[in-house]
Amino acid sequence: MIVHPKIKNNICLNAHPKGLELLVKKEIEYVQKQGKIAGPKNVLVIGASTGYGLASRIVAAFGSDANTIGVASGRPPTAVRTGNVGYYTMRAFDNAAREKGLIAESLTGDAFSHEIKDRVVSILKKNNMVLDCVVYSLAASSRRDPDTGELFRGSIKPIGRSFTSKSLDAGKEVIKEVHFEPATKEDIAGAVKVMGGEDWELWMNRLSDEKLLTPNVLTVAYSYIGPPVTAAVYREGTLGMAKKHLEATGDKLHEKLSAKGGRAFVAVNKALVTRSSAVIPVVPLYISALFKVMKEKNIHEGCIEQMFRLFHEKLYKGEAVPVDELRRIRMDDWELREDVQKEIDKIWNIIDETNYRTIADFRGYEDDFLQFHGFGFSGIDYSEDVDIT
Ligand code: NAD
């Protein structure tokens, strides 16, 4: 099949197998060039197929020779449609890790369900793996409660006020005003249920009950704070409430695990183009401005650079993990630097349809978005037939 990107409402509906193989290969090569980390040996990554979760898994396997189990949503190809991104990235990862002699098992399914937790437990037992690291990197829009069957939807809304902002419609290449009505109580509860810490805690409790965690296990989940321009719709909005719940869950888990020498952290990562962030209004425009400023200052990082720095400099440096006053690891330290945010403010005040391609790094945004789906790599001839199975 000849596969070109099919994009609708900032969502790419298909994926290119060869491009995704190359994406995984490039991330692996980046890690191999950096050298070794005295890191974990048996790792579970929940949300392992793209973005920060995929990068974490690659850092664990290729930076620290870890056996890894990955969980993500996956959709295999059909006769007329490619598989989803995770179908190809996880296969490429498993092949590369197994070639190195590591255990690599990727499971697709609903991470919120009891069924997938059962499958992970049985695969860990089959492989005699006791986990010394669990990475929780899920970004979901809805969640079915595994006990009641009730479906909760996450929403992206401000709390206590309405909000209007500039936003980029990357597909149509227009900058328009977006307006958000304040969240209802149900919206807030839904967001917390989907993106808060409840499921992370369920995973850790289940693994602990099954005696599948080492006493010194380390678990980490990912959060975001961001700048004032996205605050109303992110940090002070429904998603921010969910992230605060996730951060509080980190403290709760830490208290429990530290009795035996274990640790739980939340790392606040940098804003990056991933499948999830592309659908958050305002964020793609902010990311375009952020990339421009960080690249000019030579401090830009992608998912793999962020995750390598997290594991190498923060989690496994052999020293106390550096945290802020709320016990969070700040990987957004460079993004939120005063000089960076000042430059972004200048761009934000004047950005419009006539200048967004020059005063912001929209090209960088587009390139990353396409590459996360396997498109836009210069080494691949996209007019060629590709095997999508
Ligand atoms: P992503 O969309 O690239 O990855 C999300 C992962 O979750 C994928 O592997 C996907 O398959 C999996 N997933 C989603 N729903 C699932 C389900 N029901 N069952 C199984 N797997 C499921 O997202 P990302 O941007 O890498 O986000 C990962 C985490 O990092 C999130 O908590 C996000 O809030 C956080 N974060 C992201 C950014 C950013 O700018 N992208 C910044 C800071 C923090």
Side-chain angles (χ1 to χ4, degrees):
M1 184 184 286
I2 293 171
V3 187
H4 290 298
K6 269 190 215 154
I7 299 170
K8 206 174 163 192
N9 298 332
N10 289 357
I11 296 173
C12 185
L13 302 170
N14 59 352
H16 197 282
K18 268 195 178 173
L20 289 169
E21 227 170 78
L22 185 59
L23 177 92
V24 170
K25 185 167 171 260
K26 279 174 179 276
E27 293 202 356
I28 291 172
E29 283 170 358
Y30 172 82
V31 171
Q32 284 172 330
K33 266 196 211 132
Q34 309 307 307
K36 288 288 172 200
I37 300 168
K41 292 295 166 214
N42 289 298
V43 180
L44 169 65
V45 180
I46 301 150
S49 63
T50 55
Y52 279 123
L54 173 64
S56 306
R57 193 178 184 196
I58 289 175
V59 170
F62 293 89
S64 180
D65 299 324
N67 298 316
T68 59
I69 307 293
V71 172
S73 29
R75 192 195 67 226
T78 65
V80 291
R81 191 178 180 193
T82 71
N84 74 349
V85 170
Y87 178 81
Y88 300 114
T89 53
M90 295 212 290
R91 183 172 67 188
F93 172 89
D94 286 355
N95 288 342
R98 286 174 190 162
E99 238 169 62
K100 229 174 93 78
L102 299 170
I103 296 171
E105 299 276 358
S106 294
L107 282 76
T108 55
D110 179 10
F112 297 125
S113 67
H114 290 311
E115 191 235 334
I116 202 131
K117 292 180 176 78
D118 292 344
R119 283 169 60 205
V120 167
V121 164
S122 90
I123 222 152
L124 287 168
K125 289 185 176 169
K126 196 178 105 203
N127 286 294
N128 289 321
M129 278 173 74
V130 178
L131 300 166
D132 54 358
C133 178
V134 178
V135 175
Y136 191 83
S137 185
L138 219 60
S141 54
S142 63
R143 171 178 175 212
R144 193 170 289 287
D145 184 291
D147 293 322
T148 64
E150 194 179 343
L151 183 68
F152 293 87
R153 291 193 190 282
S155 64
I156 301 163
K157 291 188 181 175
I159 295 177
R161 57 169 163 154
S162 60
F163 175 62
T164 304
S165 171
K166 297 177 193 184
S167 186
L168 172 72
D169 184 330
K172 294 195 184 111
E173 297 200 19
V174 289
I175 292 178
K176 55 184 185 190
E177 292 231 308
V178 281
H179 180 78
F180 302 86
E181 285 300 315
T184 62
K185 272 190 187 151
E186 290 71 35
D187 291 329
I188 300 170
V192 170
K193 189 86 183 174
V194 178
M195 285 295 282
E198 189 178 88
D199 182 58
W200 182 24
E201 192 178 354
L202 287 175
W203 272 102
M204 294 308 292
N205 287 345
R206 178 72 198 276
L207 294 164
S208 167
D209 291 349
E210 299 283 351
K211 308 212 170 350
L212 289 168
L213 301 175
T214 62
N216 66 345
V217 65
L218 185 156
T219 183
V220 63
Y222 301 138
S223 187
Y224 184 62
I225 293 178
V229 290
T230 62
V233 74
Y234 197 100
R235 189 64 192 185
E236 290 162 18
T238 47
L239 262 179
M241 284 295 270
K243 289 302 186 190
K244 283 173 198 152
H245 186 273
L246 182 85
E247 290 161 18
T249 306
D251 287 338
K252 195 171 159 193
L253 287 172
H254 186 72
E255 212 183 306
K256 194 170 165 192
L257 294 173
S258 59
K260 290 191 196 157
R263 292 168 298 165
F265 293 102
V266 167
V268 181
N269 297 342
K270 172 196 180 189
L272 279 177
V273 185
T274 63
R275 286 173 55 77
S276 305
S277 64
V279 294
I280 305 178
V282 192
V283 167
L285 190 60
Y286 167 71
I287 288 180
S288 302
L290 177 72
F291 280 16
K292 174 84 171 178
V293 176
M294 291 189 85
K295 284 179 186 174
E296 274 174 8
K297 290 182 182 286
N298 228 359
I299 50 170
H300 176 71
E301 295 172 298
C303 286
I304 196 69
E305 290 87 357
Q306 274 261 301
M307 292 301 94
F308 186 82
R309 184 157 71 95
L310 172 67
F311 276 64
H312 186 248
E313 308 269 310
K314 314 273 182 183
L315 296 177
Y316 293 102
K317 201 172 181 193
E319 297 169 3
V321 175
V323 289
D324 69 6
E325 68 290 354
L326 294 175
R327 233 183 50 80
R328 302 170 299 198
I329 304 170
R330 301 305 296 267
M331 300 307 299
D332 61 346
D333 43 359
W334 300 347
E335 170 181 354
L336 293 188
R337 243 169 53 178
E338 206 182 321
D339 59 319
V340 172
Q341 287 301 321
K342 261 194 183 155
E343 291 299 316
I344 292 173
D345 281 347
K346 281 191 209 158
I347 296 174
W348 196 260
N349 288 334
I350 57 167
I351 197 163
D352 62 25
E353 251 162 68
T354 64
N355 59 19
Y356 75 99
R357 281 195 171 269
T358 48
I359 67 167
D361 184 25
F362 180 64
R363 182 69 202 270
Y365 172 87
E366 266 182 322
D367 285 350
D368 283 6
F369 180 76
L370 286 174
Q371 289 190 357
F372 265 119
H373 299 88
F375 300 105
F377 285 104
S378 54
I380 292 180
D381 181 354
Y382 289 96
S383 63
E384 265 183 10
D385 227 344
V386 61
D387 180 2
I388 62 158
T389 58

